[in-house]
Structure formats: C-alpha cells, structure tokens
Amino acid sequence: MATGPPAHEGADDLETRFTGALEDVTAARLVADRYLDALERAAVPSEPDRRDDVLLVVTELAGNAVQYAPGPFSLRLRRTFDGVHVVVRDSNPRPPVPRPWSPADNTGAVGWYLVNALATQVNVETRPEGKDVHVFLPW
C-alpha cells in the first residue's frame, strides 16, 4: 500500500512509495491514472491509446517489482516534452530479463516485451541496493 503522500504531485512530476504488497500493483496503476487525468488537462495525448500504454507499463513494472524484488518500491511519473517518463525503483539489483513464453503450459511472461514494444526508450540503472527502470513513452 502506498506510504505517505506523494513527494510532489502535479502534471509535471509525481513520486509515490509503496510497501511492496500485492495490492500495490493496483495502487500504482490508480496513482498513474490520477496523474494522467492531470496530464490530459494540460496536454491531450497524440493518440487515444497513449493513456492505456502508460497504464499498462506502470502495471507491468509494479507487478515485476512486487514479484521479483521483495520489499518497497517507488513509482515516479514525469512529463517530458513529447511524452511520459516512468521510473520504478525497487530493491532487486538484477536487471529484468525477457523470459520465453510457453503457450502449452502458460508459463513465462510477455510483460517485459510489452514494455519495450510500447516505449521509445528503456534504460535500467542498477545499484548495489536495487535498480531503477526508466521507460519513456510517447504522449
């Protein structure tokens, strides 16, 4: 569950910290949804699906943080000149790795592939105590 108020809220910048509980995936998506409401008042997306793309990326990154990096994580959203910059900081220093999907037994995941397909740029910065996943999306 989100802890405390966002560090800074508005259409330009927002950061929220989460404890890392399963329900925080939904909470992160709801935080992003409210952020995008404010952003849409300032700048209409170039295509109708842009909002859904950002929400999908936030959901995938938050889900990965909860599943693979036990402990708290944070979500930062920032408007750029032509899009949205999403950053998820978690406690696992290992970068995400695409896993093969097996339709026969429905194992593996497509989330990391989706993140990379929707983004204009993806960067992972590792630190001894975790990592930051930076995703730039068009708006």
Side-chain angles (χ1 to χ4, degrees):
M1 182 169 246
T3 57
H8 177 74
E9 191 168 354
D12 293 328
D13 197 357
L14 176 136
E15 183 173 356
T16 306
R17 291 171 180 78
F18 301 90
T19 62
L22 184 58
E23 61 268 14
D24 286 339
V25 177
T26 300
R29 183 180 175 96
L30 291 172
V31 165
D33 191 50
R34 287 191 301 272
Y35 173 82
L36 295 175
D37 284 345
L39 180 57
E40 279 183 323
R41 286 191 291 277
V44 177
S46 61
E47 294 181 22
D49 292 342
R50 298 296 190 212
R51 180 188 187 93
D52 292 335
D53 294 348
V54 173
L55 292 174
L56 178 58
V57 165
V58 166
T59 303
E60 289 295 333
L61 294 179
N64 285 350
V66 168
Q67 184 173 1
Y68 299 111
F73 71 95
S74 66
L75 169 66
R76 189 172 54 208
L77 297 159
R78 182 176 66 87
R79 180 180 177 183
T80 64
F81 72 97
D82 65 347
V84 177
H85 179 195
V86 176
V87 182
V88 171
R89 172 174 276 195
D90 68 36
S91 62
N92 185 344
R94 290 189 306 263
V97 177
R99 297 179 328 176
W101 179 64
S102 169
D105 54 13
N106 199 27
T107 61
V110 296
W112 190 240
Y113 294 106
L114 286 171
V115 168
N116 282 276
L118 295 171
T120 55
Q121 183 180 350
V122 177
N123 184 40
V124 179
E125 296 178 6
T126 59
R127 324 178 298 292
E129 67 279 2
K131 69 178 165 299
D132 294 348
V133 180
H134 295 261
V135 181
F136 293 86
L137 295 136
W139 185 252

